[in-house]
Amino acid sequence: MRLLRLFKILWVARRYGLDKILADALGMPLLLKLVDSLRWGRDFSSPRGARLRLALEELGPIFVKFGQVLSTRRDLLPTDIADELAGLQDNVPPFDSDLAIAQIERSLGQHPSALFRSFERDPVASASIAQVHFAVLHDGREVAVKVLRPGMKLVIEKDLALMSSAAGLLEMLWADGKRLRPREVVAEFDTYLHDELDLMREAANASQLRRNFSDSKLLRVPEMFWDYCSQDVIVMERMYGIPVSQTARLLEAGIDLKKLSRDGVEIFFTQVFRDGFFHADMHPGNIYVGASGDDFNRYIALDFGIVGTLTDSDKNYLAQNFLAFFRRDYKRVATLHIESGWVPPDTREDELEAAIRACCEPIFDRPLAQISFGQVLLRLFQTSRRFNVEVQPQLVLLQKTLLNIEGLGRQLDPELDLWVTAKPFLERWMKEQIGPRGFILRMRQEATQFAHLLPQLPRLAHTVLTRLADQHEDPATLRMIREQARINRLLTLGMVVLGATLCGVLVLLYSLSVRIQ
């Protein structure tokens, strides 16, 4: 079976001229001459990006998903190919409803007729990984049932094995292969796919995001019904709304598109900088807008298979980089890249600063509303190749999501000024991190650790000294240990006094923070 699959892949690759694209990329004139001599039965008139996209679509949902992930790695791909791959859509026919019903029964232990008051056999949505059916619980609540495609894991494992072998071959043959790390890209894709195959992980992601925005008037996240969730099936609250891409319907419903575009930017930066946990698959198909009731003019998020996380260090560097860009402080951007380890340590700061300035200045000379942050990123990725910038894996999803947000915002409001909308948020966040409020917050977070450790210091010092005394019995050593013990007792007393003082300071800071809030 694997040989048949490999034969089909090679046949499709030949038909769409992927061998010519590969020969060009590898810079192999002899291979290119051989390819040109075997042009019969093939049409190279379409652009190379279009031919690659069509080939992936013909090879099936796993290759479509791979193309979607690959399109986010604009640091690795030429712009024309990345743009074509970004247009890949999960236009996948639904699988048989009897298979979906059997999957539900296996996973949840009962037939849908017993689990639900009513269950719609015809799916309402279908993608490469799963499809969705509507249902009603016995208590009357309307739900959406997401069912994993049967047999997906086996298909994925086979295709991933072939992709990994091809990536290893590419790394050996291509001079630029090691820098572009094709095997790491496939491994990254492997991680995304296996995360999406575990629907319990998606349900947990949705639950976390819902909790983060529980008091928000900007974003609605469906509730998960855990008694009906498993690795292959999840049941969530049914959402009503208008797809965000259908602007005519939004206007007809009275939605304020300008407000909606600004809200999208605020939601994104809140997820990134407040929570460090963001919905990383925010393309128009996964975003709806409420048209009535409490959800009116509010975003509704769907499909939580891919989320991104950032550490405090990531958030700090990102915020400083964004603000430095806003202020056109290219020296600071270069310094941050070197300090963070994103470029080799021997990189000359002045050369990196000059390259970033040449990349950004032509863009910033335009009115702010005409600046595309996505274009800034693309130029920076092109510059990054010269300096061997290591694009951080945790930032790839962030870059993809930011491009989605900007495209979505400009679709709703062509005059959206992403920079002006985001700058006050970032400045406020930075003040909270490095100002008195941030100091108080971090002290409150560490207070429990201080309260736990300080009372233990005398006992820990006594234990260490006792062990030393047991190990050395000669008089001179014992005298030295006793003298050290006397000094340590004084130090311990000083530490206890310091601890008591620190506890008092913490109490004072806590009371101040309560007043500030």
Side-chain angles (χ1 to χ4, degrees):
M1 290 298 291
R2 183 174 292 187
L3 284 175
L4 287 175
R5 180 61 170 163
L6 179 60
F7 178 77
K8 180 179 180 181
I9 292 171
L10 293 174
W11 178 257
V12 170
R14 181 193 175 279
R15 183 141 59 93
Y16 288 100
L18 303 192
D19 48 351
K20 177 175 174 59
I21 297 174
L22 184 62
D24 283 333
L26 296 177
M28 293 184 170
L30 291 178
L31 179 60
L32 194 57
K33 287 181 180 178
L34 178 62
V35 169
D36 286 335
S37 68
L38 299 173
R39 293 177 65 101
W40 53 270
R42 300 198 282 178
D43 180 11
F44 290 169
S45 60
S46 299
R48 59 179 183 174
R51 286 186 277 124
L52 178 58
R53 175 179 55 78
L54 291 170
L56 294 177
E57 288 175 342
E58 185 166 330
L59 288 172
I62 304 307
F63 282 83
V64 167
K65 184 69 70 174
F66 180 66
Q68 290 172 340
V69 172
L70 195 61
S71 71
T72 68
R73 299 304 306 266
R74 290 179 178 265
D75 56 315
L76 307 181
L77 297 175
T79 302
D80 61 322
I81 291 180
D83 288 341
E84 278 288 345
L85 294 185
L88 285 168
Q89 300 295 325
D90 282 325
N91 296 321
V92 182
F95 57 89
D96 193 313
S97 295
D98 289 333
L99 293 176
I101 290 171
Q103 182 84 295
I104 294 170
E105 190 168 4
R106 275 195 306 272
S107 299
L108 302 182
Q110 289 181 285
H111 193 275
S113 60
L115 290 167
F116 308 106
R117 178 191 293 177
S118 64
F119 177 83
E120 297 184 12
R121 286 183 55 89
D122 295 332
V124 294
S126 178
S128 57
I129 299 297
Q131 70 184 30
V132 178
H133 297 257
F134 286 149
V136 179
L137 297 178
H138 288 295
D139 61 8
R141 288 179 293 182
E142 295 179 297
V143 296
V145 184
K146 187 170 185 176
V147 187
L148 193 70
R149 282 182 175 271
M152 283 299 296
K153 292 179 183 177
L154 182 61
V155 173
I156 284 173
E157 294 298 339
K158 289 180 178 178
D159 281 350
L160 283 173
L162 292 174
M163 287 181 185
S164 183
S165 299
L169 188 63
L170 191 64
E171 196 168 290
M172 285 190 297
L173 294 176
W174 194 5
D176 227 11
K178 288 186 178 180
R179 184 184 72 81
L180 299 181
R181 300 169 295 172
R183 283 187 294 184
E184 290 186 27
V185 173
V186 173
E188 185 180 307
F189 174 57
D190 188 340
T191 301
Y192 291 159
L193 265 186
H194 281 89
D195 285 352
E196 287 197 80
L197 285 174
D198 185 354
L199 296 187
M200 281 293 284
R201 181 186 290 269
E202 176 178 345
N205 291 340
S207 182
Q208 176 70 55
L209 195 62
R210 177 180 170 86
R211 185 162 55 251
N212 290 347
F213 283 82
S214 58
D215 299 324
S216 172
K217 300 298 182 184
L218 305 180
L219 179 66
R220 175 82 181 279
V221 179
E223 178 185 359
M224 293 289 156
F225 297 101
W226 292 105
D227 291 341
Y228 301 88
C229 291
S230 71
Q231 192 172 10
D232 300 322
V233 177
I234 57 174
V235 176
M236 69 193 82
E237 178 184 8
R238 179 175 176 178
M239 296 282 97
Y240 287 92
I242 301 171
V244 72
S245 58
Q246 298 182 12
T247 52
R249 287 184 61 193
L250 293 175
L251 288 170
E252 186 179 342
I255 302 296
D256 184 345
L257 299 189
K258 289 184 179 294
K259 178 182 182 299
L260 203 62
S261 66
R262 294 192 302 271
D263 288 349
V265 175
E266 183 174 344
I267 289 168
F268 171 75
F269 282 98
T270 299
Q271 289 183 40
V272 170
F273 291 104
R274 187 193 68 183
D275 305 325
F277 184 90
F278 59 95
H279 188 278
D281 201 14
M282 296 185 71
H283 62 74
N286 288 338
I287 304 295
Y288 280 58
V289 180
S292 61
D294 293 339
D295 288 336
F296 182 77
N297 222 134
R298 178 158 66 162
Y299 282 100
I300 298 171
L302 301 171
D303 195 344
F304 310 93
I306 303 177
V307 298
T309 57
L310 297 172
T311 65
D312 288 340
S313 176
D314 291 331
K315 291 190 289 185
N316 183 55
Y317 273 113
L318 278 171
Q320 291 195 54
N321 267 290
F322 280 143
L323 286 173
F325 275 121
F326 288 144
R327 296 164 180 165
R328 299 164 83 160
D329 184 355
Y330 306 120
K331 180 177 176 60
R332 180 61 180 155
V333 175
T335 302
L336 286 167
H337 275 67
I338 294 171
E339 288 178 352
S340 65
W342 295 354
V343 294
D346 58 351
T347 301
R348 284 187 53 178
E349 184 178 294
D350 58 334
E351 289 185 358
L352 183 57
E353 177 190 353
I356 294 172
R357 180 182 295 108
C359 168
C360 296
E361 276 300 304
I363 297 174
F364 286 131
D365 279 342
R366 288 185 254 164
L368 281 174
Q370 296 178 18
I371 294 174
S372 165
F373 194 78
Q375 292 302 316
V376 175
L377 281 177
L378 294 184
R379 286 176 177 263
L380 285 174
F381 284 144
Q382 291 166 358
T383 303
S384 73
R385 296 179 185 178
R386 173 185 163 194
F387 290 91
N388 294 316
V389 172
E390 293 275 340
V391 177
Q392 306 302 299
Q394 72 272 25
L395 301 183
V396 172
L397 284 176
L398 181 75
Q399 168 243 324
K400 167 183 177 280
T401 308
L402 183 54
L403 288 170
N404 285 341
I405 289 293
E406 184 179 43
L408 178 62
R410 291 275 168 86
Q411 179 181 334
L412 296 171
D413 177 15
E415 298 302 314
L416 172 68
D417 192 333
L418 181 71
W419 302 86
V420 169
T421 307
K423 187 177 179 182
F425 184 96
L426 289 170
E427 290 178 332
R428 183 171 66 252
W429 185 84
M430 286 297 292
K431 287 177 182 177
E432 290 176 353
Q433 293 300 303
I434 63 178
R437 189 189 295 268
F439 175 75
I440 292 170
L441 177 62
R442 282 188 291 275
M443 291 297 289
R444 287 173 61 185
Q445 290 171 344
E446 296 293 335
T448 54
Q449 289 293 334
F450 291 149
H452 177 69
L453 291 174
L454 286 173
Q456 298 183 51
L457 290 177
R459 177 175 56 81
L460 293 173
H462 175 74
T463 301
V464 171
L465 292 172
T466 301
R467 287 177 180 172
L468 285 172
D470 291 341
Q471 293 173 5
H472 302 282
E473 298 181 356
D474 62 284
T477 303
L478 288 174
R479 280 197 301 274
M480 184 180 69
I481 289 175
R482 290 191 189 100
E483 180 64 22
Q484 187 64 45
R486 187 179 69 82
I487 295 172
N488 285 340
R489 281 195 294 273
L490 292 174
L491 289 173
T492 301
L493 179 62
M495 293 177 72
V496 170
V497 172
L498 177 62
T501 305
L502 184 57
C503 287
V505 171
L506 288 173
V507 171
L508 177 62
L509 289 174
Y510 181 81
S511 63
L512 286 173
S513 68
V514 172
R515 292 179 184 177
I516 290 173
Q517 292 174 348

